[in-house]
């Protein structure tokens, strides 16, 4: 891309072209607090070597939700090593929804991958520390280094999910029963709910995308995690990051990406860009409809696909 390319204009035009897609989706309601989001919101941010470009609702804060699975996985890989992680979680995609319980009993007695809820809960149990606070600090500490600012959680989302997350509780207790979860179940769930309620905005997600696109280097040039951990996480993002919509997304957009039910999508274009979208109206698989349409368009123009 030539150095004078007008990224700001591209983002603005793409947003205008795609924002009607918000009408095709619905906000998540199974976590009561998420119902309050405005389904019409839409934003896009692109982190480039020349800095950050953005259009639309990029400074509205929302909870990280499933995108947090990237961070707990990075921490577990760094602190416990890949062998310990893969003893508890597999590396195959699933055609089931992100919170499905069905394969836990019938597959190899471990969650298929760390990007679905069961896998992420198993990964959380591997994060070391003598209290939830200490374990959570590993995640926030890394995120604070990436974003260069203190991390807060959305207390209302956290309590809402803690009170109503019966399915995640069921997954966690089932995992405990089959020897797939280390330590106290409620403590692990507490850690999982906390990571899901971390507050970010779309601009933050683009910065995190750039951190992954540069193999784990901070904006100041410091390596924060090993390149191998980033490689593993980025591979999971390609195969499982958009849940059971990952195959179609790989064809249409072609980059490592991770979505969350509050409406964020984070993408990393290796060596080039961090890209992120926000739009709480979701499709049936739990991915932002406007986000996917924006990323598809940007991928065509900026030639994102790694394939
Ligand atoms: N906190 C959500 C849950 O556990 C995260 C899921 C998601 O973003 N897809 O259900």
């Amino acid at each position: 891309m030539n150095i004078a390319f007008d990224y700001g204009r591209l983002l603005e035009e793409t947003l205008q072209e795609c924002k009607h897609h918000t009408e095709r989706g619905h906000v998540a309601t199974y976590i009561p607090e998420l119902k309050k989001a405005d389904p019409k919101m839409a934003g896009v941010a692109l982190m480039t070597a020349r800095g950050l470009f953005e259009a639309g609702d990029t400074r509205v804060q929302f909870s990280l939700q499933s995108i947090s699975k990237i961070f707990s996985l990075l921490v577990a890989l760094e602190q416990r090593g890949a062998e310990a992680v893969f003893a508890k979680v597999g590396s195959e995609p699933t055609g089931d929804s992100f919170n499905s319980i069905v394969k836990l009993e019938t597959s190899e007695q471990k969650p298929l991958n760390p990007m679905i809820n069961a896998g992420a809960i198993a990964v959380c149990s591997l994060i070391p520390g003598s209290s939830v606070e200490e374990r959570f600090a590993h995640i926030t500490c890394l995120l604070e280094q990436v974003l260069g600012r203190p991390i807060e959680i959305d207390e209302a989302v956290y309590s809402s999910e803690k009170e109503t997350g019966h399915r995640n509780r069921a997954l966690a207790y089932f995992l405990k029963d089959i020897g797939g979860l280390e330590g106290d179940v409620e403590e692990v769930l507490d850690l999982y709910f906390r990571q899901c309620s971390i507050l970010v905005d779309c601009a933050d997600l683009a910065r995190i995308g750039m951190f992954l696109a540069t193999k784990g280097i901070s904006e100041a040039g410091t390596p924060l995690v090993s390149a191998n951990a980033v490689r593993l996480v980025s591979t999971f993002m390609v195969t499982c990051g958009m849940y059971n919509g990952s195959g179609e997304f790989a064809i249409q957009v072609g980059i490592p990406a991770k979505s969350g039910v509050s409406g964020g999508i984070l993408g990393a274009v290796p060596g080039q860009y961090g890209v992120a979208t926000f739009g709480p109206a979701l499709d049936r698989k739990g991915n932002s409809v406007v986000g996917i349409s924006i990323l598809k368009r940007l991928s065509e123009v900026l030639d994102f696909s790694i394939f």
Side-chain angles (χ1 to χ4, degrees), residues 196-220:
C196 288
S197 60
I198 288 172
L199 278 167
V200 287
D201 63 24
C202 191
D204 290 331
L205 293 188
R207 290 182 192 281
I208 301 170
M210 192 60 153
F211 156 73
L212 296 174
T214 54
K215 298 187 181 165
I217 311 287
S218 75
E219 264 175 67

PDB file of all heavy atoms in Angstrom, residues 196-220:
ATOM      1  N   CYS A 196     -14.127 -11.974  30.865  1.00  0.00           N
ATOM      2  CA  CYS A 196     -15.145 -11.638  29.869  1.00  0.00           C
ATOM      3  C   CYS A 196     -15.673 -10.212  30.046  1.00  0.00           C
ATOM      4  O   CYS A 196     -16.190  -9.618  29.110  1.00  0.00           O
ATOM      5  CB  CYS A 196     -16.318 -12.619  29.948  1.00  0.00           C
ATOM      6  SG  CYS A 196     -15.901 -14.254  29.307  1.00  0.00           S
ATOM      7  N   SER A 197     -15.562  -9.664  31.270  1.00  0.00           N
ATOM      8  CA  SER A 197     -16.155  -8.341  31.509  1.00  0.00           C
ATOM      9  C   SER A 197     -15.128  -7.199  31.444  1.00  0.00           C
ATOM     10  O   SER A 197     -15.452  -6.051  31.747  1.00  0.00           O
ATOM     11  CB  SER A 197     -16.908  -8.338  32.841  1.00  0.00           C
ATOM     12  OG  SER A 197     -16.025  -8.631  33.877  1.00  0.00           O
ATOM     13  N   ILE A 198     -13.917  -7.484  31.006  1.00  0.00           N
ATOM     14  CA  ILE A 198     -12.904  -6.426  30.836  1.00  0.00           C
ATOM     15  C   ILE A 198     -13.404  -5.400  29.812  1.00  0.00           C
ATOM     16  O   ILE A 198     -13.896  -5.767  28.740  1.00  0.00           O
ATOM     17  CB  ILE A 198     -11.562  -7.042  30.356  1.00  0.00           C
ATOM     18  CG1 ILE A 198     -10.901  -7.820  31.496  1.00  0.00           C
ATOM     19  CG2 ILE A 198     -10.629  -5.972  29.802  1.00  0.00           C
ATOM     20  CD1 ILE A 198      -9.675  -8.632  31.078  1.00  0.00           C
ATOM     21  N   LEU A 199     -13.265  -4.128  30.168  1.00  0.00           N
ATOM     22  CA  LEU A 199     -13.758  -3.065  29.279  1.00  0.00           C
ATOM     23  C   LEU A 199     -12.734  -2.636  28.234  1.00  0.00           C
ATOM     24  O   LEU A 199     -11.575  -2.374  28.563  1.00  0.00           O
ATOM     25  CB  LEU A 199     -14.149  -1.841  30.119  1.00  0.00           C
ATOM     26  CG  LEU A 199     -15.530  -1.897  30.751  1.00  0.00           C
ATOM     27  CD1 LEU A 199     -15.669  -0.785  31.803  1.00  0.00           C
ATOM     28  CD2 LEU A 199     -16.628  -1.777  29.698  1.00  0.00           C
ATOM     29  N   VAL A 200     -13.178  -2.566  27.005  1.00  0.00           N
ATOM     30  CA  VAL A 200     -12.323  -2.106  25.897  1.00  0.00           C
ATOM     31  C   VAL A 200     -13.175  -1.276  24.938  1.00  0.00           C
ATOM     32  O   VAL A 200     -14.396  -1.243  25.069  1.00  0.00           O
ATOM     33  CB  VAL A 200     -11.751  -3.293  25.070  1.00  0.00           C
ATOM     34  CG1 VAL A 200     -10.674  -4.040  25.807  1.00  0.00           C
ATOM     35  CG2 VAL A 200     -12.859  -4.224  24.594  1.00  0.00           C
ATOM     36  N   ASP A 201     -12.528  -0.656  23.966  1.00  0.00           N
ATOM     37  CA  ASP A 201     -13.277  -0.076  22.846  1.00  0.00           C
ATOM     38  C   ASP A 201     -12.659  -0.599  21.549  1.00  0.00           C
ATOM     39  O   ASP A 201     -11.663  -1.343  21.582  1.00  0.00           O
ATOM     40  CB  ASP A 201     -13.338   1.464  22.929  1.00  0.00           C
ATOM     41  CG  ASP A 201     -11.982   2.137  22.838  1.00  0.00           C
ATOM     42  OD1 ASP A 201     -11.044   1.537  22.277  1.00  0.00           O
ATOM     43  OD2 ASP A 201     -11.849   3.280  23.322  1.00  0.00           O
ATOM     44  N   CYS A 202     -13.252  -0.207  20.446  1.00  0.00           N
ATOM     45  CA  CYS A 202     -12.829  -0.736  19.147  1.00  0.00           C
ATOM     46  C   CYS A 202     -11.378  -0.344  18.827  1.00  0.00           C
ATOM     47  O   CYS A 202     -10.611  -1.145  18.272  1.00  0.00           O
ATOM     48  CB  CYS A 202     -13.805  -0.180  18.106  1.00  0.00           C
ATOM     49  SG  CYS A 202     -13.683  -0.914  16.502  1.00  0.00           S
ATOM     50  N   ALA A 203     -10.999   0.885  19.236  1.00  0.00           N
ATOM     51  CA  ALA A 203      -9.620   1.331  18.986  1.00  0.00           C
ATOM     52  C   ALA A 203      -8.635   0.437  19.747  1.00  0.00           C
ATOM     53  O   ALA A 203      -7.573   0.067  19.225  1.00  0.00           O
ATOM     54  CB  ALA A 203      -9.466   2.794  19.406  1.00  0.00           C
ATOM     55  N   ASP A 204      -8.988   0.051  20.982  1.00  0.00           N
ATOM     56  CA  ASP A 204      -8.133  -0.866  21.755  1.00  0.00           C
ATOM     57  C   ASP A 204      -7.944  -2.182  20.997  1.00  0.00           C
ATOM     58  O   ASP A 204      -6.839  -2.732  20.943  1.00  0.00           O
ATOM     59  CB  ASP A 204      -8.792  -1.237  23.099  1.00  0.00           C
ATOM     60  CG  ASP A 204      -8.838  -0.095  24.095  1.00  0.00           C
ATOM     61  OD1 ASP A 204      -7.957   0.777  24.037  1.00  0.00           O
ATOM     62  OD2 ASP A 204      -9.766  -0.093  24.937  1.00  0.00           O
ATOM     63  N   LEU A 205      -9.047  -2.683  20.442  1.00  0.00           N
ATOM     64  CA  LEU A 205      -8.962  -3.987  19.754  1.00  0.00           C
ATOM     65  C   LEU A 205      -8.018  -3.914  18.558  1.00  0.00           C
ATOM     66  O   LEU A 205      -7.294  -4.870  18.269  1.00  0.00           O
ATOM     67  CB  LEU A 205     -10.346  -4.460  19.290  1.00  0.00           C
ATOM     68  CG  LEU A 205     -11.382  -4.828  20.358  1.00  0.00           C
ATOM     69  CD1 LEU A 205     -12.605  -5.460  19.696  1.00  0.00           C
ATOM     70  CD2 LEU A 205     -10.818  -5.768  21.407  1.00  0.00           C
ATOM     71  N   ALA A 206      -8.019  -2.780  17.856  1.00  0.00           N
ATOM     72  CA  ALA A 206      -7.103  -2.638  16.713  1.00  0.00           C
ATOM     73  C   ALA A 206      -5.645  -2.649  17.200  1.00  0.00           C
ATOM     74  O   ALA A 206      -4.762  -3.227  16.548  1.00  0.00           O
ATOM     75  CB  ALA A 206      -7.406  -1.354  15.945  1.00  0.00           C
ATOM     76  N   ARG A 207      -5.402  -2.057  18.365  1.00  0.00           N
ATOM     77  CA  ARG A 207      -4.033  -2.073  18.934  1.00  0.00           C
ATOM     78  C   ARG A 207      -3.636  -3.499  19.319  1.00  0.00           C
ATOM     79  O   ARG A 207      -2.506  -3.931  19.106  1.00  0.00           O
ATOM     80  CB  ARG A 207      -3.942  -1.176  20.170  1.00  0.00           C
ATOM     81  CG  ARG A 207      -4.045   0.291  19.846  1.00  0.00           C
ATOM     82  CD  ARG A 207      -3.912   1.154  21.098  1.00  0.00           C
ATOM     83  NE  ARG A 207      -4.291   2.526  20.802  1.00  0.00           N
ATOM     84  CZ  ARG A 207      -3.494   3.401  20.193  1.00  0.00           C
ATOM     85  NH1 ARG A 207      -2.264   3.052  19.857  1.00  0.00           N
ATOM     86  NH2 ARG A 207      -3.929   4.619  19.924  1.00  0.00           N
ATOM     87  N   ILE A 208      -4.589  -4.228  19.899  1.00  0.00           N
ATOM     88  CA  ILE A 208      -4.288  -5.621  20.271  1.00  0.00           C
ATOM     89  C   ILE A 208      -4.021  -6.441  19.003  1.00  0.00           C
ATOM     90  O   ILE A 208      -3.118  -7.279  18.957  1.00  0.00           O
ATOM     91  CB  ILE A 208      -5.450  -6.257  21.081  1.00  0.00           C
ATOM     92  CG1 ILE A 208      -5.715  -5.472  22.360  1.00  0.00           C
ATOM     93  CG2 ILE A 208      -5.132  -7.713  21.407  1.00  0.00           C
ATOM     94  CD1 ILE A 208      -6.999  -5.878  23.101  1.00  0.00           C
ATOM     95  N   GLY A 209      -4.797  -6.150  17.951  1.00  0.00           N
ATOM     96  CA  GLY A 209      -4.594  -6.841  16.670  1.00  0.00           C
ATOM     97  C   GLY A 209      -3.186  -6.605  16.146  1.00  0.00           C
ATOM     98  O   GLY A 209      -2.520  -7.529  15.656  1.00  0.00           O
ATOM     99  N   MET A 210      -2.704  -5.374  16.274  1.00  0.00           N
ATOM    100  CA  MET A 210      -1.349  -5.044  15.801  1.00  0.00           C
ATOM    101  C   MET A 210      -0.298  -5.775  16.634  1.00  0.00           C
ATOM    102  O   MET A 210       0.714  -6.254  16.111  1.00  0.00           O
ATOM    103  CB  MET A 210      -1.133  -3.529  15.875  1.00  0.00           C
ATOM    104  CG  MET A 210       0.103  -3.065  15.164  1.00  0.00           C
ATOM    105  SD  MET A 210       0.060  -3.491  13.385  1.00  0.00           S
ATOM    106  CE  MET A 210       1.105  -2.213  12.720  1.00  0.00           C
ATOM    107  N   PHE A 211      -0.559  -5.889  17.936  1.00  0.00           N
ATOM    108  CA  PHE A 211       0.349  -6.623  18.834  1.00  0.00           C
ATOM    109  C   PHE A 211       0.491  -8.077  18.354  1.00  0.00           C
ATOM    110  O   PHE A 211       1.593  -8.639  18.332  1.00  0.00           O
ATOM    111  CB  PHE A 211      -0.203  -6.509  20.263  1.00  0.00           C
ATOM    112  CG  PHE A 211       0.207  -7.579  21.224  1.00  0.00           C
ATOM    113  CD1 PHE A 211       1.492  -7.628  21.735  1.00  0.00           C
ATOM    114  CD2 PHE A 211      -0.713  -8.540  21.649  1.00  0.00           C
ATOM    115  CE1 PHE A 211       1.859  -8.621  22.645  1.00  0.00           C
ATOM    116  CE2 PHE A 211      -0.361  -9.524  22.552  1.00  0.00           C
ATOM    117  CZ  PHE A 211       0.934  -9.570  23.042  1.00  0.00           C
ATOM    118  N   LEU A 212      -0.609  -8.673  17.926  1.00  0.00           N
ATOM    119  CA  LEU A 212      -0.536 -10.055  17.411  1.00  0.00           C
ATOM    120  C   LEU A 212       0.091 -10.080  16.025  1.00  0.00           C
ATOM    121  O   LEU A 212       0.871 -10.980  15.694  1.00  0.00           O
ATOM    122  CB  LEU A 212      -1.938 -10.677  17.359  1.00  0.00           C
ATOM    123  CG  LEU A 212      -2.645 -10.868  18.705  1.00  0.00           C
ATOM    124  CD1 LEU A 212      -4.072 -11.355  18.497  1.00  0.00           C
ATOM    125  CD2 LEU A 212      -1.884 -11.851  19.596  1.00  0.00           C
ATOM    126  N   ALA A 213      -0.245  -9.064  15.208  1.00  0.00           N
ATOM    127  CA  ALA A 213       0.282  -8.999  13.835  1.00  0.00           C
ATOM    128  C   ALA A 213       1.798  -8.854  13.840  1.00  0.00           C
ATOM    129  O   ALA A 213       2.476  -9.237  12.873  1.00  0.00           O
ATOM    130  CB  ALA A 213      -0.361  -7.840  13.081  1.00  0.00           C
ATOM    131  N   THR A 214       2.351  -8.286  14.916  1.00  0.00           N
ATOM    132  CA  THR A 214       3.807  -8.115  15.018  1.00  0.00           C
ATOM    133  C   THR A 214       4.433  -9.190  15.920  1.00  0.00           C
ATOM    134  O   THR A 214       5.495  -8.978  16.504  1.00  0.00           O
ATOM    135  CB  THR A 214       4.162  -6.706  15.543  1.00  0.00           C
ATOM    136  OG1 THR A 214       3.463  -6.503  16.776  1.00  0.00           O
ATOM    137  CG2 THR A 214       3.771  -5.617  14.565  1.00  0.00           C
ATOM    138  N   LYS A 215       3.744 -10.301  16.074  1.00  0.00           N
ATOM    139  CA  LYS A 215       4.255 -11.457  16.824  1.00  0.00           C
ATOM    140  C   LYS A 215       4.539 -11.158  18.290  1.00  0.00           C
ATOM    141  O   LYS A 215       5.522 -11.647  18.863  1.00  0.00           O
ATOM    142  CB  LYS A 215       5.522 -12.016  16.159  1.00  0.00           C
ATOM    143  CG  LYS A 215       5.259 -12.510  14.752  1.00  0.00           C
ATOM    144  CD  LYS A 215       6.481 -13.215  14.204  1.00  0.00           C
ATOM    145  CE  LYS A 215       6.217 -13.678  12.778  1.00  0.00           C
ATOM    146  NZ  LYS A 215       7.410 -14.045  12.065  1.00  0.00           N
ATOM    147  N   GLY A 216       3.709 -10.298  18.891  1.00  0.00           N
ATOM    148  CA  GLY A 216       3.814 -10.109  20.338  1.00  0.00           C
ATOM    149  C   GLY A 216       4.705  -8.972  20.791  1.00  0.00           C
ATOM    150  O   GLY A 216       5.166  -8.949  21.937  1.00  0.00           O
ATOM    151  N   ILE A 217       4.922  -8.006  19.888  1.00  0.00           N
ATOM    152  CA  ILE A 217       5.768  -6.851  20.233  1.00  0.00           C
ATOM    153  C   ILE A 217       4.867  -5.664  20.609  1.00  0.00           C
ATOM    154  O   ILE A 217       3.882  -5.389  19.923  1.00  0.00           O
ATOM    155  CB  ILE A 217       6.647  -6.433  19.018  1.00  0.00           C
ATOM    156  CG1 ILE A 217       7.377  -7.641  18.406  1.00  0.00           C
ATOM    157  CG2 ILE A 217       7.608  -5.309  19.381  1.00  0.00           C
ATOM    158  CD1 ILE A 217       8.516  -8.196  19.202  1.00  0.00           C
ATOM    159  N   SER A 218       5.224  -4.952  21.691  1.00  0.00           N
ATOM    160  CA  SER A 218       4.419  -3.786  22.100  1.00  0.00           C
ATOM    161  C   SER A 218       4.661  -2.626  21.136  1.00  0.00           C
ATOM    162  O   SER A 218       5.602  -2.653  20.346  1.00  0.00           O
ATOM    163  CB  SER A 218       4.799  -3.348  23.518  1.00  0.00           C
ATOM    164  OG  SER A 218       6.042  -2.679  23.476  1.00  0.00           O
ATOM    165  N   GLU A 219       3.821  -1.592  21.246  1.00  0.00           N
ATOM    166  CA  GLU A 219       4.014  -0.424  20.372  1.00  0.00           C
ATOM    167  C   GLU A 219       5.371   0.225  20.587  1.00  0.00           C
ATOM    168  O   GLU A 219       5.958   0.801  19.681  1.00  0.00           O
ATOM    169  CB  GLU A 219       2.906   0.604  20.635  1.00  0.00           C
ATOM    170  CG  GLU A 219       1.760   0.477  19.667  1.00  0.00           C
ATOM    171  CD  GLU A 219       0.629   1.423  20.008  1.00  0.00           C
ATOM    172  OE1 GLU A 219       0.810   2.642  19.890  1.00  0.00           O
ATOM    173  OE2 GLU A 219      -0.453   0.913  20.405  1.00  0.00           O
ATOM    174  N   ALA A 220       5.889   0.100  21.825  1.00  0.00           N
ATOM    175  CA  ALA A 220       7.201   0.679  22.128  1.00  0.00           C
ATOM    176  C   ALA A 220       8.340  -0.221  21.651  1.00  0.00           C
ATOM    177  O   ALA A 220       9.514   0.109  21.808  1.00  0.00           O
ATOM    178  CB  ALA A 220       7.305   0.912  23.630  1.00  0.00           C
TER     179      ALA A 220
END
